[in-house]
Amino acid sequence: MAKATTIIHKMEKDPKELHEQQVKEIESLLVEHKDSIEDVLTIIHQLRDREVLNLAHGALGQSEHVVHRIVTAMDTKETTQSIKNALLIFELLGTVNMNELEPIVLKLNHGIKMAAEYDHSDQNAGTLGLIRSLNDKEVIEGMNVLMKFVKGFGVDEAQEEKIEPQLERFEHPEKEMGTQKRESTSNTKPTRVYAPRLFGFITGALVLLVPLLIKKK
Amino acid sequence: MTQTMTVTINGKREMFKNNESVLERLQKMDMQVPSLCYHPSLGAIETCDSCIVKVNGEFVRSCSTKIKDGDVVDSLGADVHEAQLIAMDRMLGNHELYCTVCDYNNGNCEIHNAVKEMKISHQETPHSTKESTVNRNAFYRYDPDQCILCGRCVEACQDVQVTETLSIDWNLKRPRVIWDKDTTIDDSSCVSCGHCSTVCPCNAMLEVGMEGEAGFLTGIKEETFRPMVNITKSVETGYESLMTISDVEASMREERIKKTKTVCTYCGVGCAFDVWTKDRKILKIQPQAEAPANGISTCVKGKFGWDYVNSEERLTKPLIREGESFREAEWQEALDLIESKFKKTLNEKGSDALAFISSSKCTNEESYLMQKLARGVIGTNNIDNCSRYCQSPATMGLWRTVGYGGDSGGIEDIAKAELIISIGSNTVESHPVLSTRVKRAQKLNGQKVIVADLRKHDLAERSDLFVKPSPGSDLVWLSAVTKYIVDQGWHDVAFLEKHVSDVEEYLSSLAPYTLDYAAEVTHLTKDELITIATMIHEAKTTAVLWAMGVTQHGGGSDTSTAISNLLLVTGNYMKPGAGSYPLRGHNNVQGASDFGSMPDRLPGYQYVTDDDVRSRFEASWGVSLSSVPGLNNHEMVDSIHEGELDVLYLKGEDMGIVDANINYVQSAFEKLSFFVVQDIFFTKTCQYADVVLPASPSLEKEGTFVNTERRFQRLYQALEPLGDSKPDWQIIKEIANRMGAGWSYSHPSEIMAEAASLTPLFAGVSYDRLEGYDSLQWPVKEDGTDTPLLFTDGFALPGGKARLWPVEWTKPLEFEEEYDLHVNNGRLLEHFHEGNMTYQTEGIKKKTPNVFLEVSHELANERELEDGTTVRLTSPYGSVKVDCIVTDRVVGKQVYLPMNTSGEGAINYLTSSHSDKDTDTPAYKEISAKMEVLKQKNQSPLPKTNHRYGNPQPQIGVKVEDKWARSDYTFPGDLVKRRRGM
């Protein structure tokens, strides 16, 4: 006659026996992974020497506070602007063609060198000297390079820009209108597309005007 | 439509036959078109506009535009792209892209993927809040600020699940999803089926189990989360970099989130889905459209009821009785004890002094091994399973008339039927996903539904005709309707001549079932009977669904036979959308019998008395088998009382609470000389055991189940067995080997291979053919050809002909006058049986913490009952104590007692040992009791947060027309035309 019962005596495992069993399990794990464990211990030793472990201990122990503090500190315009700029510079670097840039940089260096060597007390350099220098082969070459640069400057690259994040646009919704062109392949003509061209045109005109201004004097 | 169409798509001429939408065609051609509101299982919703293309020069939504012959489709033009971008931009104004810290970033976020595929770098419409709080319950939550208003959740709730809770209020300044008339989830009619979170394309509707768990960075606190998102937004230089980082993070998640296909264990529908686990934590259930029985559908139990797997109450060690208590033991000791007791009984009293009971919750392979242990190792046919408590009468009715004891078709056929007759089946609560197919077909496709039941359950409320026959009288009205049909000449003469035998004899047996007689016995009016007959006559296809309200009666087999007779007479077999559907209750109640856990039949329903069959099994097993049928469950209990049966080994069945007349059953257990119970929890039955063995549930093992459609499906192991628990097949194997069997199975697939080799019914079933979501419906030929529609060429009876089987009505039990209340009983949607699994889910327990007794308003008035009144019901066999709920679901002196308790409200303290005369299935539904009020006022047993108090808001779909009518809405195609001066 087995009467219904709900009494269950749990198996009390001898703590000593349990401990021994667990030690044995760990021991066999150690043996099995001996080489890896030696490597790991070396790294841990070095981390300890350099206080990294203590740092990590503190950071992990207070991780929620630490993360919150860092995140709220980062959530400022200056910090996010820095990160954004860093990311943009990184992306911009990818757009630079170093082969094409190299001769320009060399020319720039040369120009800088000559500028540095220029002696302000040199009386030979006057307005006429400048006009004369328009016949100089090197000056003509420099002007041509500058003209190409100015032309390239006037090309519309709005499609390629990546510098207006979502939050910024949200805070300045008026700018949203200006970004319409960027997202669609529409043939509509938002006004802003002319802005870079206009800027290029003005810059180019100014460069051309330089000799004329000098001439007037 | 099968006419060949010639269509120009992006300049290329294509020819095809299918009548499909432009979007479907483009997707088949691997042409990327964004489609955020479109879901293949839901169809066109038309809310998101992102799938715009041009057809014949006009902008259209490709999801809802059917391709026509001669159409010219453009999905690549600049103007099309512009329109799609406008639509996408509107979506992004509603959804904040913080993918890396989003729990939904698992590679399947459709917004993320669309942004990536369309190479969207920025958005014009800034994201802004909808200024409404997050709505949540214990299972899922809705974040309006992430919701793109695609309406998939609404479509799924309104037209797939058809609970009709969700809608989008398009009249709000900022529209959002609302529950009922804009209340909280808990206060609404939501049944937490999970469809909404399953179909949501993003993280707006998310399972609570995923929150803070899925991602590496998603567990951060809210006060840190917001600045983190702000930083991300401030520094991002375009969405490409965000997408890359979140894609990397999503890939990392794959390493620690395991997705395993499994099959649900809560009912016979056989829902299959992926379970997402992280270590032992269950993050969510993710249904897949390819799942053959359920597609994207689940119920609350299947979607959210898995906490029991990690319950601290799980059995993790064998228990051995010592006097009036148990002690935990090691397997070795428990198996030693079982071996010695089994051998002792075998030696002293012979093999028939032992008996075995299989579980309808365990796998086919486990059922097979249990019967093999009984027959091949112990030498007895004393083996049964719990279909004895439910569907054996249905099987009997079908064996008699059509030869196979299974559903005539699949769930698709139920959805296809022009007319559904549901008899004694609370399918909305007992087979929730199957019922959604009926509700949907009725709501959208004009299917007609007749419900015959005592109680106004959900389907009754929705039905086109609801009749309430007096308890236990179904056979009479079924036969009267059949007779009326024959009398009108509406029977299918050609079908009867060609496919059915014994017609004349049967038709003459109908003589007593006149409309007058039926009206007198059943209390249905003659008009109601004629209406039923007329509806059957007018429908091209009729399918009958039935369950325990039919079978659990003294004449359960005969009533099941009468159903099949009616279907034969009207020619409603051998065609899609028609036939008989005895809805199986447990996940593998079909398979448990299919695999031979029956006292008279070996696997595949092969008789133990058949010498040829036995010799085939004997040759394979290397033993000689008994040709004497054994005891069924019911007879086992009697046999114990009679001192014939000494040892019982029972697995996965709480027989001590689910069998009828449990006082009698429990006292039998006390008389056993040795009782082994194998389960995952310490159940009521375990309390009587000598040895309790800890088993592993479905998520911890491999195997197969057969659902109500006769469909084999595989389940894969998601978790390691908890503690020292083991899969049942391994335990049975160890016990068999202790008895000298020498079994060497190392995987359930080997067991299936052996069973299939011995069983013509499923000769072609193998694990290879059931990979992933593949399935097979028996009979399965050796070459793997299966049988979705059961009867196509003929019937599984001699000559291939069905047989009409005359039946007579068995009057239900009659009680003394003092037992004046009829006690109906059955399942609840949110609990599985007595609830030892579902009460482990806090969310379910909170909403439905107790059993309750439904009483009618009339009875409440008469006895001064109200919600919470505690009463005692007493039948001649025992009594229960339970709190009342007053409802119009029941009428007059009929009360309803659900079975969701193993405590003092357990229904089987009232039931008797009276049973179906042909199968011994207990007549659970034939109980009367008297009522005594114990405490007039008490707290209601059903919290007001229960969905039954909700206020559903039926509508068709998401009402997208209301969105289009808003003053701030312009169709993106029109906008593009305006911009371009088109």
Side-chain angles (χ1 to χ4, degrees), chain A residues 5 7 9 11 91 176 183, chain B residues 122 124 237 324 326 328:
Chain A
T5 178
I7 302 166
H9 300 294
M11 187 184 275
E91 285 187 18
E176 289 300 318
E183 289 184 65
Chain B
H122 293 88
E124 291 177 24
T237 58
E324 299 296 304
F326 288 98
E328 286 185 342

Side-chain angles (χ1 to χ4, degrees), chain A residues 1-7 9-11 64 68 71 91 162 164-167 169 176 183 186 188, chain B residues 82 85 122-124 221 223-224 227 231 233-234 236-237 321 324-326 328-329 670 687 979:
Chain A
M1 290 291 279
K3 285 284 174 198
T5 178
T6 55
I7 302 166
H9 300 294
K10 294 276 176 190
M11 187 184 275
E64 278 186 0
H68 184 63
V71 165
E91 285 187 18
K162 296 180 175 182
E164 285 178 65
Q166 194 182 356
L167 190 67
R169 290 195 306 275
E176 289 300 318
E183 289 184 65
S186 164
T188 52
Chain B
E82 183 180 348
L85 281 170
H122 293 88
Q123 66 189 80
E124 291 177 24
K221 286 188 164 180
E223 64 260 32
T224 310
I231 292 168
K233 279 181 177 177
S234 302
E236 54 96 349
T237 58
R321 175 182 283 272
E324 299 296 304
S325 64
F326 288 98
E328 286 185 342
E670 292 175 354
Q687 294 176 18
R979 279 186 186 178

Side-chain angles (χ1 to χ4, degrees), chain A residues 131-170:
Chain A
I131 293 170
R132 266 198 309 274
S133 62
L134 284 175
N135 281 329
D136 189 322
K137 226 174 111 185
E138 286 174 347
V139 171
I140 290 169
E141 176 67 11
M143 289 290 283
N144 280 339
V145 172
L146 268 175
M147 282 304 290
K148 285 286 175 194
F149 177 76
V150 167
K151 199 175 176 191
F153 212 74
V155 173
D156 177 14
E157 294 287 353
Q159 302 269 14
E160 304 300 321
E161 288 175 25
K162 296 180 175 182
I163 55 169
E164 285 178 65
Q166 194 182 356
L167 190 67
E168 196 174 309
R169 290 195 306 275
F170 180 54

